[in-house]
Amino acid sequence: MLYGKKVVLRPIIPEDLPNYVRWLTDPEVIRFFGKYLPINLAQEEAWYRHQNEDSTAINFAITYEGRHIGGTGFQHLNHRDRNAEVGLFIGEKSLWDQGLGQDTLATMVRYGFEQLNLHRIYLRVFAENERGIRAYEKVGFVTEGRFRQAVWRHGCWHDILFMSILYPEWEKHRHRE
């Protein structure tokens, strides 16, 4: 278990899977999320089995006040180059705009640097996801670049920003908090 200021990150359990299906079929939740097709329980169960065997991924359920509210994890974990891509989403819309995503990201970054010995943690974000970008910047992420019209979603092209934080930047940032 990983403890943030507000959230607790724990292993995903089979009982969590119906929540993921509910969230990942909600157009508002997946608006800025990588998935673009709704999923069913059988697909989520197959993902669950696969992610438990994938040595390049570490996934957690996000909980708040004992309630499962979303998901987070590292993908493309590369121990040789000491980097990984982080992702997260808060599926419970009633809990949006309460700093839970920011706390989740800060907790993941701390885990990545302190426990996994990473040097660089990066993420991808839709350029129009201003709420997400602000949260990522508060954790210390900086924009590295923009992939113009990289994703077709909702009937139009979207730019994707790549953002990252390096271990020395995080060290400076966390001592200011």
Side-chain angles (χ1 to χ4, degrees):
M1 303 255 257
L2 305 178
Y3 296 90
K5 293 177 180 175
K6 299 178 179 182
V7 299
V8 175
L9 309 181
R10 63 161 172 75
I12 299 168
I13 57 176
E15 291 79 14
D16 294 331
L17 301 183
N19 286 337
Y20 287 110
V21 172
R22 179 170 48 90
W23 297 327
L24 298 176
T25 56
D26 183 326
E28 283 185 273
V29 173
I30 64 171
R31 179 175 175 214
F32 295 125
F33 195 65
K35 297 218 178 262
Y36 63 94
L37 294 174
I39 60 165
N40 61 40
L41 187 56
Q43 291 167 312
E44 191 65 10
E45 288 169 344
W47 171 86
Y48 177 73
R49 285 189 302 277
H50 173 74
Q51 66 93 30
N52 280 324
E53 299 167 359
D54 185 352
S55 64
T56 68
I58 301 173
N59 293 295
F60 296 96
I62 303 168
T63 65
Y64 174 67
E65 298 180 343
R67 182 177 163 201
H68 180 217
I69 65 161
T72 186
F74 286 120
Q75 310 302 317
H76 314 294
L77 188 57
N78 180 328
H79 290 290
R80 191 191 88 208
D81 294 330
R82 295 176 49 203
N83 66 61
E85 180 176 11
V86 67
L88 68 103
F89 74 97
I90 303 298
E92 291 298 332
K93 295 183 287 189
S94 65
L95 297 174
W96 287 0
D97 297 319
Q98 296 186 28
L100 301 175
Q102 181 180 333
D103 187 43
T104 297
L105 184 60
T107 304
M108 287 296 289
V109 167
R110 185 181 74 239
Y111 172 68
F113 289 141
E114 290 183 350
Q115 302 301 314
L116 300 180
N117 194 31
L118 296 178
H119 176 73
R120 177 176 176 269
I121 298 171
Y122 64 96
L123 58 81
R124 292 173 285 166
V125 59
F126 283 83
E128 63 268 24
N129 185 355
E130 295 173 5
R131 182 177 68 218
I133 293 166
R134 277 193 308 277
Y136 306 152
E137 289 172 340
K138 287 179 183 176
V139 174
F141 280 73
V142 297
T143 301
E144 292 184 330
R146 174 184 293 259
F147 281 46
R148 299 176 306 135
Q149 298 183 6
V151 175
W152 176 262
R153 190 76 46 85
H154 313 295
C156 61
W157 290 105
H158 299 270
D159 291 1
I160 299 293
L161 301 181
F162 276 73
M163 300 178 76
S164 72
I165 186 169
L166 304 176
Y167 178 78
E169 296 166 341
W170 175 73
E171 280 276 66
K172 288 180 189 172
H173 184 81
R174 77 179 179 141
H175 290 302
R176 287 192 303 247
E177 294 179 338

